[in-house]
């Protein structure tokens, strides 16, 4: 039995003030927080409930882009007609995440901040060594079973994979995370582990996600999300790709291409090497295949996760071919 105080915040301001106190965690849908409390990873002294706050669940799409409030439910965003039309990869990423029950409970803000599924991280009783949980304690995974671990963006301190799907699509289309007064580009929001894997994002104490925005683009409108996993539902990605493509007037030359990877890196991974190799070139299967290999440039495997180095470029290639055929 763990004791903690519970505050039902009456406003964003009250939630932010309370969140500035040490050992305080916000509660939105609770599908991650409760899980982490049960396995002994999260042990807050104060829980600040924001789930009922009004005005934070707006979903709006106009000529500029999409505005999605932090408390919008995953399921609502996934079925929103304008999101499906303007940002199909975002809708598809949400549809392929978790289960219907979780999508109905879980919020967009909470989804971005979900924690890694590294089994060692989630079992503190058996594996005390985890730099992400207890800085300086070591990394049980480096000497352990690494099948689900990252091949990109890892460090000597941590090789845990970022598990979410939505953030991968948001990374491909240059979304912005709004933290009240401040805004951070999504690629800067998620941090590489380096020597401080306990710091996963750019949020400071006393900040909360209030919304995300995604700029409109032709590539976002012609986009898709492919997720490969051990089973076809209720499973995290072994490798995933969000891809968007725009063509020149000739219908053949790629004018804009966005590629981001999930399931293989320590943060949602923008594959700029693939984009640079294909932008300005004719859309041809052999060029796509060659460029897709660049998705795993710099990858390092740890034995059991070597398959991701083979899998990721194939997922990227499939996603590009599918998107190109639709665009
Ligand atoms: C069995 C299972 C399978 C899953 N499969 C997938 C999957 O395939 N793909 C996928 O993407 N996800 C998957 N998930 C993760 C799921 O999507 C997340 O649990 C969910 O999105 C979290 O949202 P929430 O609102 O419940 O967050 P909460 O649990 O309420 O919060 C999560 C974290 O975010 C913080 N937080 C919440 N809202 C805010 C805010 N506005 N500002 C600042 N901090 C905030 C909380 O303090 C907490 O640390 C799975 C989860 C489970 C349990
Ligand atoms: S990979 Fe990261 S999260 Fe997993 S045990 Fe090592 S330090 Fe902890």
């Amino acid at each position: 039995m763990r004791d903690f105080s519970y505050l039902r915040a009456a406003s964003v301001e009250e939630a932010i003030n309370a969140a500035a106190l040490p050992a305080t965690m916000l509660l939105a849908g609770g599908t991650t927080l409760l899980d982490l409390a049960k396995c002994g990873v999260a042990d807050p002294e104060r829980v600040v409930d924001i789930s009922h706050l009004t005005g934070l669940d707006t979903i709006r799409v106009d000529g500029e882009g999409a505005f999605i409030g932090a408390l919008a439910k995953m399921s609502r965003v996934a079925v929103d007609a304008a999101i499906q039309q303007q940002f199909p990869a975002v809708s598809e990423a949400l549809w392929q995440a978790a289960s219907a029950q979780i999508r109905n409970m879980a919020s967009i803000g909470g989804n971005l901040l979900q924690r890694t599924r590294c089994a060692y991280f989630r079992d503190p009783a058996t594996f005390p060594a985890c730099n992400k949980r207890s800085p300086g304690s070591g990394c049980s995974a480096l000497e352990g079973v690494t099948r689900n671990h990252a091949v990109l963006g890892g460090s000597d301190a941590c090789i845990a994979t970022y598990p979410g799907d939505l953030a991968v699509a948001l990374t491909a289309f240059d979304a912005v995370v709004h933290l009240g007064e401040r805004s951070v580009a999504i690629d800067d929001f998620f941090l590489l582990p380096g020597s401080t894997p306990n710091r996963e994002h750019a949020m400071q104490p006393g900040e909360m996600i209030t919304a995300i925005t995604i700029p409109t683009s032709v590539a976002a409108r012609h986009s898709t999300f492919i997720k490969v996993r051990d089973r076809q539902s209720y499973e995290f990605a072994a490798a995933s790709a969000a891809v968007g493509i725009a063509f020149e007037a000739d219908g053949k030359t790629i004018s804009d291409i966005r590629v981001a990877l999930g399931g293989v890196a320590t943060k949602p991974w923008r594959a700029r090497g693939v984009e640079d190799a294909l932008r300005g070139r004719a859309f041809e299967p052999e060029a796509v295949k060659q460029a897709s290999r660049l998705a795993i440039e710099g990858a390092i495997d740890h034995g059991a996760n070597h398959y991701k180095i083979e899998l990721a470029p194939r997922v990227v290639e499939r996603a590009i071919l599918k998107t190109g055929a639709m665009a």
Side-chain angles (χ1 to χ4, degrees):
M1 176 83 178
R2 285 185 198 85
D3 284 339
F4 58 86
S5 69
Y6 171 86
L7 170 72
R8 192 174 152 88
S11 64
V12 171
E13 196 184 7
E14 187 180 18
I16 286 172
N17 288 337
L21 297 170
T24 304
M25 294 187 83
L26 300 178
L27 175 74
T31 61
T32 281
L33 185 54
L34 266 64
D35 238 16
L36 292 173
K38 283 187 202 159
C39 67
V41 171
D43 192 9
E45 288 170 20
R46 276 167 293 275
V47 171
V48 180
D49 188 349
I50 57 170
S51 60
H52 56 283
L53 288 179
T54 52
L56 287 184
D57 63 351
T58 307
I59 305 170
R60 194 175 60 238
V61 180
D62 59 23
E64 300 284 295
F67 175 98
I68 303 174
L71 289 179
K73 300 292 187 195
M74 289 169 71
S75 52
R76 268 192 61 222
V77 181
V79 299
D80 186 274
I83 296 285
Q84 287 180 336
Q85 192 190 28
Q86 296 294 327
F87 305 96
V90 170
S91 167
E92 289 168 22
L94 285 164
W95 267 117
Q96 294 176 63
S99 64
Q101 291 88 342
I102 290 173
R103 293 194 295 271
N104 284 337
M105 286 287 293
S107 66
I108 294 300
N111 183 277
L112 295 187
L113 294 178
Q114 63 180 285
R115 311 290 305 275
T116 182
R117 309 308 287 194
C118 169
Y120 304 100
F121 170 79
R122 289 183 169 251
D123 188 356
T126 317
F127 301 102
C130 172
N131 290 319
K132 194 181 271 301
R133 229 180 30 229
S134 315
S137 61
C139 172
S140 298
L142 285 170
E143 301 298 321
V145 180
T146 57
R147 187 172 183 279
N148 295 324
H149 287 78
V151 293
L152 289 165
S155 70
D156 291 345
C158 181
I159 53 167
T161 309
Y162 175 80
D165 296 311
L166 171 65
V168 177
L170 297 181
T171 297
F173 302 110
D174 297 320
V176 174
V177 183
H178 299 273
L179 307 167
E181 308 277 285
R182 197 164 75 91
S183 302
V184 184
I186 191 135
D187 212 14
D188 299 328
F189 181 75
F190 291 103
L191 304 178
L192 290 170
S195 58
T196 53
N198 51 311
R199 285 209 65 219
E200 294 175 337
H201 47 71
M203 248 170 40
Q204 301 294 335
E207 286 188 320
M208 67 177 267
I209 300 178
T210 48
I212 56 165
T213 50
I214 326 168
T216 309
S217 64
V218 175
R221 202 155 55 241
H222 299 145
S223 67
T224 197
F225 181 83
I226 289 186
K227 175 175 176 179
V228 173
R229 42 191 159 164
D230 284 349
R231 55 182 179 192
Q232 263 312 91
S233 111
Y234 210 23
E235 186 56 277
F236 291 89
S240 68
V243 167
I245 301 179
F247 286 111
E248 302 284 2
D250 65 7
K252 272 198 332 218
T253 310
I254 298 171
S255 60
D256 187 14
I257 177 161
R258 318 287 182 89
V259 183
L261 299 177
V264 295
T266 52
K267 63 178 260 185
W269 197 260
R270 184 82 177 257
R272 293 191 192 274
V274 181
E275 297 175 2
D276 292 345
L278 288 174
R279 197 178 301 107
R281 292 197 58 181
F283 186 84
E284 283 162 358
E286 189 52 35
V288 169
K289 183 176 187 164
Q290 294 303 326
S292 298
R293 297 297 309 166
L294 299 171
I296 38 85
E297 242 180 344
I300 297 173
D301 76 77
H302 300 84
N305 62 354
H306 178 79
Y307 75 100
K308 288 181 187 259
I309 293 180
E310 296 300 323
L311 181 62
R314 293 176 197 209
V315 176
V316 168
E317 183 186 348
R318 237 173 80 197
I320 296 176
L321 290 176
K322 181 179 169 195
T323 315
M326 293 178 335

